[in-house]
Amino acid sequence: MAQGKTSKTMVWILMALLILGLGGFGVTNLSGTIHSVGSVGEKDISVNDYSRALQEELRALEAQTGQSLPFAQAQAFGIDRLVLARLTTTRSMDAENARLGISIGDENLRQELMAIPSFQGLDGSFDRDAYSFAIEQAGMSEADFEDTVREDTARSLLQGAVISGLQMPAAYADTVITYVGEERDFTWAPLTAENLIRPVTAPSEEDIAAFYEDNQARFMLPASRQITYVWLSPDMILDQVEIDETALEQLYKDRDAEFNRAERRLVERLAFADEAAAQKALDDIAAGTTTFEALVEARGLALSDVDLGDVTEAELGAAGPAVFLTPAGAVAGPAETSLGPAIFRVNGILPAQNTSFEEARDLLREELAADRARRLIDTQIGDIDDLLAGGATLEEVADETDMTLGTLEWHPTATHPLAGYEGFRAVAAAVTEEDFPQVDVLDDGGIFALRLEGETEARPAPLEDVREEAIAAITAERATEALEKMVESLRPRLNDGTSFTSFGFTANEETGIDRGAFIPSTPRALLTTVFEMTPGELRTVPSAEGLILVRLNAISAPDTEDPEVARLKEGITAQLSSSIAQDVFQAYAEALQAMYPAEINQQALNAVHAQFQ
């Protein structure tokens, strides 16, 4: 008996300790004594509202990404701060509404509730039971929900009052439309050294040296890395691979479908309830009273719904012979199918393809040899790794294996064959002089190892290497200067409207050119210049070959009566008006937050976050 009393006493002691231990649990638990995560003015941000908003944001993000998002990662993205900022803005508006006395009456609230589809029955009328059930499922009381609706509606009224009437002036849209839609008519002529009466003088050695010194930035070599490498690709050992005829014949048989394809048709099929209906449809098409497209549309279908793709005669079954006797663009049938009698439209003919073994032998030999060469290289990787690990140099590896030794000046724009491999570029960019060479595999099955010998900073190329380039640049500059002088001498007559062709220039007429146009063989600066000019004005634009002489003939304003222009103007006005409204409301919201500073309960926030871990 004493033992029973002792056991009961211990149970009560444990219960008391448990109660004491849980005494502070309600401080942070969602169902505890703290009900808000903060306040704005006299408006609380409830724990439930914050938790619900955070859950909705996480679900939306998971739906967008298609994968579950750990809460820690969501916090790293700032999702919790985004939700809290949104609720803070909302409650600052509620605080302002309370100050202004903005709310809705019971009748307006009733109308709002009755308009919510979730609370309506099958006949569309308000269902009191559905209303109570939905509120209960949401974990709210009816009073809390109705207060929420009142606040939401009041916020909408406040927001509408702030941004209503904000409209972008029509002049702005007109200016944008004018800028985008204006067109130019102009004449242009390319001028080169061939248009000069006298050729330009060749540069002297002093001229070349001076130009090189003054323009070294034009002749810079990129920073580079001196690399020694060993490389082995499948192509390098193809001659070591023996391919017997039996293997080639077997590969040809395995890929028979690739080399030998039956004739195919691109076909659409439309099935009918009976053969009479199918025949009538075919007769109507033949008589020209309807079309295949119209028949498909009348059935509530799209052409994609009746498209069979490319099919063989055998795949069409009983309809095959008729369809394959029908020319492209014609309709065949009726023919019996698994869907009933049908007509078929032939949209294209894909002829049969037959490649004999003899015709395919070289291709098959090349592919099979390359595959075996890759496998042969794979068997050597271990031995080469062992050599390098044992201290062998790249030179010694090249002597003892099939690998080829070489050097290159590597930089991101290098044209060496090895530089075309992404794997090589990654290693070449990261290797240091302290790194030991190791075998890496390339995309084509080849292998390489490399050693960094040194690095060279960007520097000017030696004059002897760029001499011809310097001479060409000097000659081009002198030709351009001479062409400018020639145009200046002709300018009085050109300004009077004399045709370009009168001076032996090749004139090109352009009409209706907008800012987004592209004129082949001209620099982009030509159109930029044209849209800066006034009618009748004459200018020159530098080009790769010399100059472009251009005269603006006319400016055409956009046609405001064009429906497309009107739609564009309407869209611009709506978009910019919306943008202004957003900016104004953002400024207003920031002002409200300054008026009603938020006080955040970090302990309550931590409790909510703990529920999401």
Side-chain angles (χ1 to χ4, degrees):
M1 190 73 176
Q3 184 178 3
K5 290 182 178 180
T6 302
S7 299
K8 289 182 180 180
T9 302
M10 291 301 297
V11 169
W12 283 111
I13 292 173
L14 289 174
M15 289 295 291
L17 291 174
L18 181 60
I19 292 171
L20 287 173
L22 294 177
F25 183 73
V27 175
T28 56
N29 190 269
L30 296 184
S31 61
T33 58
I34 290 182
H35 300 290
S36 71
V37 296
S39 62
V40 181
E42 296 181 356
K43 297 292 184 178
D44 288 338
I45 304 174
S46 75
V47 167
N48 288 335
D49 285 346
Y50 176 70
S51 178
R52 189 181 302 111
L54 188 56
Q55 182 68 46
E56 290 174 356
E57 192 69 29
L58 291 174
R59 287 176 179 172
L61 189 60
E62 290 174 354
Q64 182 179 356
T65 60
Q67 57 185 2
S68 178
L69 186 69
F71 185 69
Q73 189 174 355
Q75 283 186 297
F77 291 160
I79 301 301
D80 56 328
R81 297 186 294 277
L82 175 68
V83 170
L84 185 60
R86 189 162 60 232
L87 290 176
T88 300
T89 300
T90 298
R91 297 308 270 168
S92 66
M93 293 180 67
D94 293 337
E96 179 67 358
N97 278 334
R99 185 184 73 84
L100 296 174
I102 299 176
S103 183
I104 61 172
D106 292 342
E107 181 58 29
N108 288 329
L109 174 62
R110 176 177 176 275
Q111 293 176 4
E112 291 286 340
L113 294 176
M114 294 184 69
I116 298 176
S118 300
F119 304 153
Q120 296 173 357
L122 297 177
D123 59 354
S125 61
F126 182 77
D127 188 330
R128 190 67 179 74
D129 292 335
Y131 172 65
S132 299
F133 178 75
I135 299 302
E136 182 182 349
Q137 290 298 109
M140 302 174 69
S141 68
E142 293 185 11
D144 289 340
F145 178 74
E146 290 168 6
D147 286 343
T148 300
V149 174
R150 290 182 192 272
E151 290 177 340
D152 287 345
T153 306
R155 283 195 299 271
S156 299
L157 293 173
L158 179 60
Q159 182 174 355
V162 171
I163 65 175
S164 63
L166 293 175
Q167 186 73 18
M168 176 61 64
Y172 188 94
D174 290 338
T175 302
V176 174
I177 291 293
T178 298
Y179 179 84
V180 174
E182 268 191 349
E183 296 178 345
R184 299 292 191 270
D185 299 344
F186 59 93
T187 306
W188 63 279
L191 304 182
T192 66
E194 295 180 358
N195 295 106
L196 296 172
I197 298 175
R198 302 184 187 86
V200 298
T201 57
S204 65
E205 291 299 323
E206 292 77 10
D207 295 335
I208 297 172
F211 183 85
Y212 173 78
E213 289 297 328
D214 294 340
N215 298 274
Q216 287 197 353
R218 300 175 61 170
F219 307 110
M220 293 295 290
L221 295 175
S224 59
R225 318 189 88 197
Q226 291 76 51
I227 287 177
T228 299
Y229 65 85
V230 286
W231 176 27
L232 180 61
S233 71
D235 290 342
M236 295 178 183
I237 57 172
L238 287 180
D239 57 346
Q240 300 180 27
V241 177
E242 295 184 2
I243 305 296
D244 60 79
E245 199 73 5
T246 303
L248 290 176
E249 291 175 354
Q250 184 60 48
L251 183 59
Y252 177 78
K253 292 179 181 178
D254 294 341
R255 295 169 57 180
D256 179 71
E258 177 183 339
F259 295 111
N260 300 292
R261 302 185 63 184
E263 184 177 346
R264 307 175 77 82
R265 294 287 192 275
L266 299 174
V267 174
E268 293 166 333
R269 177 186 63 190
L270 183 61
F272 292 85
D274 52 54
E275 186 169 353
Q279 186 62 53
K280 183 179 185 305
L282 188 65
D283 293 341
D284 290 343
I285 293 175
T289 57
T290 190
T291 63
F292 189 86
E293 289 89 347
L295 291 170
V296 172
E297 184 177 350
R299 298 277 289 278
L301 301 172
L303 289 176
S304 58
D305 297 325
V306 299
D307 187 13
L308 297 181
D310 58 298
V311 294
T312 64
E313 182 174 351
E315 289 171 339
L316 289 173
V323 171
F324 270 69
L325 289 174
T326 303
V331 180
E336 193 63 36
T337 70
S338 59
L339 299 179
I343 59 175
F344 298 80
R345 182 168 69 172
V346 180
N347 294 316
I349 298 175
L350 303 178
Q353 174 186 329
N354 294 293
T355 304
S356 66
F357 173 70
E358 288 71 21
E359 294 171 327
R361 179 187 283 110
D362 291 342
L363 174 63
L364 294 172
R365 183 182 299 278
E366 181 179 339
E367 293 181 8
L368 196 55
D371 180 63
R372 294 189 177 180
R374 285 191 289 271
R375 283 184 282 169
L376 181 60
I377 290 174
D378 284 342
T379 64
Q380 299 183 43
I381 292 178
D383 294 337
I384 297 171
D385 264 333
D386 290 342
L387 286 173
L388 292 173
T393 64
L394 296 181
E395 291 76 6
E396 291 170 339
V397 169
D399 289 338
E400 298 184 28
T401 68
D402 293 322
M403 300 192 79
T404 298
L405 180 71
T407 61
L408 67 89
E409 290 279 336
W410 183 84
H411 49 82
T413 59
T415 57
H416 189 280
L418 254 180
Y421 293 95
E422 179 62 34
F424 176 84
R425 292 198 299 270
V427 176
V431 67
T432 67
E433 293 186 42
E434 290 74 28
D435 292 336
F436 290 101
Q438 62 181 27
V439 176
D440 286 283
V441 181
L442 297 169
D443 294 340
D444 65 350
I447 57 175
F448 73 95
L450 58 80
R451 180 178 68 227
L452 179 63
E453 307 290 0
E455 298 183 73
T456 304
E457 297 295 328
R459 71 280 184 197
L463 175 57
E464 56 270 20
D465 293 346
V466 294
R467 180 184 180 82
E468 295 302 320
E469 185 180 344
I471 292 174
I474 296 170
T475 303
E477 284 190 2
R478 292 182 175 179
T480 300
E481 292 173 0
L483 289 169
E484 287 280 11
K485 292 179 181 178
M486 179 184 71
V487 170
E488 285 302 313
S489 67
L490 300 176
R491 188 173 291 275
R493 296 173 62 189
L494 288 168
N495 286 338
D496 289 340
T498 304
S499 171
F500 289 175
T501 57
S502 299
F503 304 103
F505 303 156
T506 301
N508 299 276
E509 298 288 342
E510 306 291 347
T511 58
I513 301 298
D514 61 28
R515 293 179 188 271
F518 171 73
I519 302 176
S521 304
T522 65
R524 183 63 192 173
L526 174 62
L527 281 181
T528 303
T529 301
V530 164
F531 276 84
E532 296 172 352
M533 298 167 62
T534 56
E537 186 178 356
L538 192 77
R539 291 194 191 184
T540 57
V541 179
S543 69
E545 294 79 21
L547 289 178
I548 291 179
L549 180 63
V550 57
R551 175 191 287 141
L552 181 61
N553 301 323
I555 298 177
S556 302
D559 181 7
T560 56
E561 301 300 323
D562 186 342
E564 186 174 348
V565 173
R567 284 194 298 271
L568 180 59
K569 180 179 177 179
E570 182 180 343
I572 291 173
T573 301
Q575 182 178 357
L576 293 176
S577 297
S578 174
S579 178
I580 290 176
Q582 290 176 6
D583 292 342
V584 169
F585 180 74
Q586 179 64 29
Y588 180 72
E590 291 174 359
L592 287 181
Q593 291 173 23
M595 291 174 58
Y596 305 101
E599 297 181 3
I600 304 302
N601 185 337
Q602 190 61 47
Q603 186 181 16
L605 278 179
N606 294 340
V608 176
H609 295 167
Q611 305 298 316
F612 286 88
Q613 300 294 338

